[in-house]
Amino acid sequence: MASGSWARRVPAVAVFFLFDAALAVTSGTCTKEPLQVLGPGRYIRIGATDGELTTCAELTGGACPYSVQFPGLPCLVNCIESEADCVLFNKHTPGVNPFVDPQGCAPCSITACEACEHHGGDLPPTCKRCFSSFVGVGAEEGRWTECVIWDQNSIYVVAIAFGTILFLLTLMIIVTTAVGGGCCKAASKVGGKMVGGLSTSKKVPSQEPREPLNPEQADLRARNAEAIHTGLIFSLRASIKFSALATLFRKSKTRGNVFVGMIRMLFDHSSLQDMGIGLQLFFNVQVFLIAVASVVWAVGYTQFLRADPHHAKHNAFLEQVEAGQCPTHPMDLMGELVALSPKLGVAAHNRIVCVLLWVVLVLMSLCFHYYQAWFTGSYDRTLHSAEDYTLQLTKVPDHVTSERRLKRLLEEELRMHEKIHGVCICYNFLSLPEHDKEEIEEMLENMTEHDTWKNGWCPENQCVGGLKQRIEHDKQKFTELVRSGRLKCSGQAWVVFKRQVDMVKVQEERCGIRRAIFEAETEEQMNDLIHGSCYHSHSSEGEKQPGARSRRGNNVGLGSGGDGFIEIAASCSEPGGVRFEAFTEDPGRHRMNVKVWMPLRMVGYIVIYAISAQVFYSSMIKPWQDNFIAGVERSLAVGIVGKLVIGLNFAIQTIVMIDVERWGNFKSFSDVDERTFLWNTLLLVITNAYIIMQECYRGGIHWVLAAPTEVREEQLWEWQRLWYQSSVVEEEVGKSLASVMMEQIMMLYVIGEVANVLAPVICYWFALRAIYVWQIGGEKSNVQKLLRKMLPKQRSDNGKTIGAREAEKAQILMPLLLWMEYTYVVVFAWMALFTFFLATKEGNAVCGLLLFFSVLFYIWQRCVMLWLYGKATYDTNDTYLAFIRVWGCVLGTLPPQAVWWSYRLGEIKEPRFMVVVMVLVFILASLVFQYGIIFVNWKMGHLFGSEGVDDFGAEGDLGYRDVIEKVSASWWNVNPIYVLKTRYCPEEPGYQVHIESLQKDLWPSSQPLRGFFEPGKEFRHEKKSVWEQRNNMSPRSSGGSPRPKSSAK
């Protein structure tokens, strides 16, 4: 017999504890004495010989003529008064089958039937009455052929309709793609070669359309098809590894096997170093998760091996009971079931294992954090970045809007003549009226499309109509916006030095600048204030310079934090990691939103999911559990609605992401990742904990395993029955937990990841072709209106054409969301560790699922999804630091389990005291981990924190200009307002950009048009012919990694 067979009897055995309660409400003449079954209607008293047969009618003098089986123990029956009492004693015998035993309660083949009627022969039974919350279907009233959960038929209809729509949509995409191939081939007449030299379209005559089209319509469709294709290629080129693939194809014409090269590239991650430290740390976490999952699985498997012999003996004994081989007395039967159960061994084992496992995992985690801290320091020493040359200014007056004037002022004030590379002012984009924001976004789109066309990456007929006139109109509108005075400084700016030594000098000596210098109305006033600044007076010997501080220290000094000073601090981000669209001159509104309104919204999201989960559980799960009915996992209605609830969970995660990103108005992408990770983790932990609590606190489960002392024989029998049925229900809880985790992995991670990456691109691709190529439904049909609402806002006036840039924006690749990946690490690990609270053999399965997820997680992210993720900047380790602190709380759930098992073994008597001790142990365990993290950070601070200027080796510091050339992004080409000022009004009074001789050093030499930079789209900023020629000679693209720092000799 398989080790899991006894668990499949759960619904029958789980109602065993109702037996005495039912006997108490029936006639007092019915005896509690069980009878041993020899056959239908043939019973003997316990301990009697086979010759002393009896019946319930004889035993009770006719008062209790009916017999009912013990739940799960068919070799024993009890006597009851009437047929109506059958279901009270055993939920699985809801009536008498007169054709087998006219006075014996019999099982019914209809699930959830409370009153079953048998008809004999080959006729199936019918149901007079279903259990509460179930509905009879299949025949007339009182002769039901099936009992189903509420409104199950409607759920079937919805599921079939949804599946049909999904199938037809998939079929339409496949068919129309094949049909639309003719349009793509016809488009080659317009486009010629594909973008970037990736492929070349052959001029194959287009297929004849099913309906006659005039030449103008055919050309329009072909032009739209080529624009959509071009936009898709542009988006794919921005993926993390697509450029490497294109280079491989070009080199493969003369060098080796393409297939071997692609396999090698799957595991080559050297090109990821230019994406920031955050992504590197996340990839290290993936390896760490595999190690943790292996340890947890090994512990769970060891526990399974220890308990498996007990399961085998237990199952063998149950087989004997089912065969009618009962012991001489019911006490012996229940006592044997208790003695053979593995629960006591598991309890004693877990009490020690949980503490030892916590110690091992904490030591592993602290060692791993030490490695991560070392890796971060080494990464910073190895690679140059903009952060190494940049200081941040805060509390800058809002009227400071000229980079040229601000640079000259800082050079005078800081005594850094010709040592400042440039300054970058962050404008109040968020405070602008909505129509101004939309116009600025459209200006950037027009500019980007214009540069793409000028550099030869797409033909003019694939651009939006009237592009040249749009550019002229944008110049006029932006100049009007600048002159209106609505553009102001947000209070934040960055000063970038040519050499790192100058940046370090200012950072060590200064913490602020007097605000009055910026308030000067004339040049004479400004010079008087500068030359009279107290910051330039030397201190007497032995006296500390005002405002002096260490490079890594806090901003504490003269004027620090005061309204009369502009603060100077280290820049904690790269240019690509700053959200320039999220700045405003009103920081108070941002603080109110982050500290008050955002938490309220997050609590609302959690409440919405909790209500939906509670409704689902109470209406579709609890009726099965309350009536101890098997088959809930096979119910199609429950499965469908359960998937919808998980889908709601994924939708709420998406809402949380949008809320933090769009309404949180955080000023860097790392802040968005960190806050989204914290809120989303809290959401998933609370919702999953709620689901698990519902599973654990179901009817029939008793947590205390210790036997009562000094009780009568009947009370001990009662405890044994309750103990046994509780162990069976607990096994069901373990199976439910494994099922929940598998659903989470499949639905939330695998399907969610695919949907997050592929679904937007596929849906937008289909919508674009349906509107502009296939023209489904006609131009003004409701179908097209619906499809157009799916797409981003289009700039085309006539609605009949689509530009390559519009198609590119619609088919843009999603970036790798670090917050989502870290959330899954926390939640799945927490669910695996939670199984140690339960005495169930499913703990090994859940731990195995964690190991499976961690390996899948690694392979999927490192070798597959990097081809489909868009490039982004992960410039700080903030998200990792948030993760490692939350990770301590996950590990902190292990020590309280030792207290829990002590309570279950009877060593702790009071439940309330047990709860208090568990909470205190959890807090203490979490604090131990946090102090360990603090110690590691302190230790690594001594190793890396004392550094001043980086060691550049023999070549020396080549300056920030060299960094720009290597990474393609600078503080100016990612600042949308500065790009527009440079292009449209560089000499506007009060808003002057840097002088022309400096402007050429603010963009890489490969970007002569000085356009707006997007990660992964470096190619579009230079001539296509130049880019192709250079990349055919070099294996790396223009957007290479930062320049490695030379080690000291």
Side-chain angles (χ1 to χ4, degrees), residues 716-979:
L716 183 59
W717 185 25
E718 174 70 9
W719 172 82
Q720 288 175 334
R721 287 194 299 102
L722 296 177
W723 192 96
Y724 178 67
Q725 64 87 22
S726 175
S727 67
V728 177
V729 176
E730 188 171 357
E731 188 68 31
E732 276 295 287
V733 173
K735 294 172 65 176
S736 297
L737 182 60
S739 176
V740 168
M741 188 167 182
M742 177 57 76
E743 285 189 343
Q744 296 277 355
I745 292 176
M746 294 302 298
M747 293 292 293
L748 288 185
Y749 185 72
V750 178
I751 298 178
E753 284 286 305
V754 174
N756 177 58
V757 176
L758 298 179
V761 177
I762 293 175
C763 291
Y764 287 147
W765 179 89
F766 171 76
L768 288 171
R769 298 189 71 84
I771 296 172
Y772 297 104
V773 180
W774 308 320
Q775 296 184 358
I776 295 176
E779 182 179 348
K780 298 182 179 180
S781 65
N782 293 328
V783 175
Q784 286 224 4
K785 291 180 180 179
L786 177 62
L787 293 174
R788 288 178 187 274
K789 289 181 179 179
M790 294 173 53
L791 301 174
K793 184 179 178 181
Q794 303 296 305
R795 291 175 292 133
S796 302
D797 296 329
N798 55 17
K800 297 180 180 179
T801 58
I802 182 75
R805 174 62 179 176
E806 294 174 313
E808 175 191 348
K809 294 289 288 186
Q811 301 171 103
I812 193 168
L813 298 180
M814 290 290 292
L816 176 64
L817 303 176
L818 290 182
W819 63 265
M820 182 180 290
E821 313 305 332
Y822 279 125
T823 297
Y824 291 138
V825 174
V826 169
V827 172
F828 292 148
W830 171 76
M831 293 178 68
L833 296 180
F834 185 86
T835 58
F836 289 96
F837 275 102
L838 304 172
T840 170
K841 60 184 179 60
E842 295 297 331
N844 177 56
V846 175
C847 297
L849 284 174
L850 177 64
L851 180 59
F852 164 76
F853 163 75
S854 61
V855 175
L856 173 69
F857 189 50
Y858 179 83
I859 297 175
W860 181 260
Q861 293 290 354
R862 297 293 294 266
C863 302
V864 179
M865 295 312 294
L866 288 182
W867 300 94
L868 299 173
Y869 280 128
K871 252 190 172 182
T873 300
Y874 309 95
D875 55 342
T876 72
N877 60 348
D878 292 346
T879 308
Y880 163 74
L881 293 178
F883 157 75
I884 199 66
R885 296 194 179 277
V886 174
W887 181 253
C889 297
V890 174
L891 300 184
T893 59
L894 283 170
Q897 296 184 32
V899 180
W900 167 253
W901 287 111
S902 297
Y903 166 75
R904 298 197 66 180
L905 289 172
E907 298 174 1
I908 298 178
K909 305 297 182 182
E910 293 292 332
R912 294 181 180 178
F913 178 74
M914 177 267 299
V915 172
V916 172
V917 174
M918 287 182 65
V919 172
L920 293 177
V921 170
F922 169 76
I923 295 174
L924 180 61
S926 300
L927 287 176
V928 168
F929 184 86
Q930 302 303 327
Y931 286 134
I933 295 296
I934 293 173
F935 174 78
V936 171
N937 293 339
W938 170 78
K939 190 70 176 177
M940 299 306 295
H942 283 281
L943 182 61
F944 292 106
S946 59
E947 62 172 344
V949 180
D950 292 322
D951 188 357
F952 293 93
E955 61 183 354
D957 185 358
L958 299 181
Y960 181 63
R961 174 65 190 174
D962 184 65
V963 175
I964 295 178
E965 291 294 334
K966 298 298 181 182
V967 301
S968 297
S970 72
W971 284 105
W972 298 274
N973 65 2
V974 297
N975 186 336
I977 302 300
Y978 189 84
V979 172

Side-chain angles (χ1 to χ4, degrees), residues 109-130:
S109 60
I110 300 177
T111 303
C113 180
E114 189 175 10
C116 188
E117 183 177 6
H118 298 270
H119 304 288
D122 295 332
L123 296 177
T126 57
C127 185
K128 300 178 183 178
R129 185 174 63 257
C130 296

Side-chain angles (χ1 to χ4, degrees), residues 28-49:
T29 58
C30 293
T31 178
K32 293 185 178 181
E33 179 184 355
L35 301 178
Q36 186 171 348
V37 179
L38 296 182
R42 300 172 62 247
Y43 315 114
I44 61 171
R45 301 182 71 173
I46 300 296
T49 63

